[in-house]
Amino acid sequence: MPLVYTIVIILKVQIAPGLHLANPVIAASGTWGYGDETGDIVDFQKLGAIICKGTTLKPRDGNPQPRIIEVTAGILNSVGLENIGVEALISGKAPEWAKWRVPVIVNIAGDTVDEYGKMAARLDGVAGVSGIEVNISCPNVRKGGMQFGTDPVSAAEVTSAVRGSTSLPVIVKLSPNVTDIAAIAVAVESAGADAVSLINTISGMAIDVNRRKPRLGNITGGLSGPAIKPIALSMVWKVAGCVGIPVIGCGGIMNAQDALEFIMAGATAVEVGTANLVNPQTALDIIDGLQQFMQAEGIGKITELRGAARL
Ligand SMILES: Cc1cc2nc3c(=O)[nH]c(=O)nc-3n(C[C@H](O)[C@H](O)[C@H](O)COP(=O)(O)O)c2cc1C
């Protein structure tokens, strides 16, 4: 009879000083609400972390409907940062998060550099907030958002403003809608980011030929889902080769195989977005799938797979 043995699997990863995740699978901003929407359907406490909906200083209504449509191999969204605002988040959401095992990271967006700094200062020391993801990559707002993420100087300015206003771990979320994403990554690393996450959605649109009108109320939106995975993967590969800080890979991850590709390209952790909208169980299935792969390959620590394809 062949000898069957199991090894101890360690999925723990470190994103920043003081931010340790039980596993590398994170729910991406905008696809997991404020963490509690799934209720008992999904055991979300098992996730590595949850990144909440993009939050601004004041509440926002977002863009006109329709805001989410399906396209080939993905979706286009133009939600436009509809959110409850940072004060309602601090009073209404963070106290609940403080009771959770899963760390919650707050995704922030601002119209000005000053607003980013103010939000970071406001979130500093709030129980239940484990980190900040700085969204300088939203393609769906007129002011702010992506405008800061397409230029290394302004990306660094926003990062410095946030870094100088909080002791929380700072992850800067990068835009793929740029010529050289590595230059932006290097700039935010120099400005004090603890980690970078990439990619946010890719600018796109669709037209209803019968109505002869754009399908999204906002005309353009951001493309996400399997359609963007090869682009995201190549950007993660590029950035991981240029920065020393942890890289969080995101874009079209639908299963454990996809997550492994990002990790082997150099990602420390991954964010799962659109897949949650298809099946909210996906992120947990990915955690199981990582474990199964490691067991089959005799790999004890997930960190051993990081950058494996680069060697
Ligand atoms: C409906 C929707 C809303 C999103 N909202 C945000 C947001 O508020 N802040 C942000 O940084 N990214 C937001 N994103 C981008 C995702 O977090 C992620 O970066 C992107 O969708 C690519 O990953 P995916 O292909 O796994 O979805 C949103 C994406 C979707 C689909």
Side-chain angles (χ1 to χ4, degrees):
M1 209 170 83
L3 208 58
V4 179
Y5 62 93
T6 56
I7 55 167
V8 178
I9 302 288
I10 298 171
L11 291 176
K12 237 169 99 165
V13 293
Q14 182 175 1
I15 301 299
L19 185 55
H20 297 264
L21 312 188
N23 65 71
V25 183
I26 302 170
S29 179
T31 65
W32 208 266
Y34 295 94
D36 47 4
E37 279 81 354
T38 57
D40 294 339
I41 302 171
V42 180
D43 189 359
F44 61 84
Q45 300 288 351
K46 287 191 178 152
L47 292 169
I50 292 170
I51 305 183
C52 78
K53 176 64 194 164
T55 301
T56 47
L57 213 46
K58 300 271 177 266
R60 283 201 201 188
D61 291 335
N63 286 326
Q65 299 282 0
R67 307 199 293 199
I68 300 187
I69 57 166
E70 219 173 310
V71 293
T72 308
I75 61 172
L76 280 170
N77 95 81
S78 60
V79 173
L81 294 180
E82 176 182 353
N83 78 95
I84 59 176
V86 73
E87 291 307 326
L89 179 147
I90 290 170
S91 59
K93 302 293 179 186
E96 192 56 28
W97 298 342
K99 299 179 207 153
W100 293 358
R101 179 177 54 153
V102 57
V104 180
I105 295 163
V106 177
N107 180 285
I108 63 168
D111 288 347
T112 61
V113 172
D114 189 49
E115 268 189 31
Y116 279 96
K118 277 194 181 125
M119 292 191 63
R122 191 66 192 86
L123 291 165
D124 193 44
V126 172
V129 176
S130 295
I132 293 178
E133 182 177 61
V134 187
N135 179 0
I136 51 167
S137 43
C138 182
N140 299 322
V141 286
R142 262 182 205 93
K143 275 167 71 188
M146 199 169 83
Q147 148 203 334
F148 295 112
T150 50
D151 168 54
V153 175
S154 48
E157 269 170 24
V158 171
T159 307
S160 299
V162 171
R163 175 74 294 158
S165 309
T166 184
S167 53
L168 283 165
V170 174
I171 302 161
V172 179
K173 185 163 180 181
L174 306 180
S175 172
N177 304 305
V178 296
T179 312
D180 185 3
I181 197 166
I184 315 272
V186 168
V188 303
E189 178 182 38
S190 308
D194 292 307
V196 285
S197 54
L198 60 141
I199 59 174
N200 207 318
T201 54
I202 299 177
S203 295
M205 76 177 287
I207 291 176
D208 179 335
V209 294
N210 296 315
R211 289 194 309 114
R212 302 180 189 193
K213 293 270 181 245
R215 286 178 64 197
L216 286 170
N218 189 52
I219 302 176
T220 60
L223 179 65
S224 62
I228 71 169
K229 195 193 89 179
I231 300 168
L233 190 63
S234 76
M235 289 187 167
V236 165
W237 177 280
K238 196 170 174 193
V239 167
C242 296
V243 296
I245 52 178
V247 174
I248 303 173
C250 176
I253 298 174
M254 305 301 281
N255 52 44
Q257 184 86 27
D258 294 337
L260 283 163
E261 285 191 58
F262 279 84
I263 292 167
M264 290 183 184
T268 295
V270 294
E271 292 181 16
V272 178
T274 300
N276 300 320
L277 309 180
V278 181
N279 173 6
Q281 192 67 36
T282 307
L284 295 184
D285 291 345
I286 291 176
I287 300 169
D288 289 346
L290 291 180
Q291 272 171 315
Q292 281 158 19
F293 179 85
M294 291 166 68
Q295 197 63 253
E297 296 284 318
I299 308 262
K301 292 184 183 161
I302 190 81
T303 49
E304 290 171 49
L305 291 172
R306 186 185 308 152
R310 311 185 72 92
L311 303 173

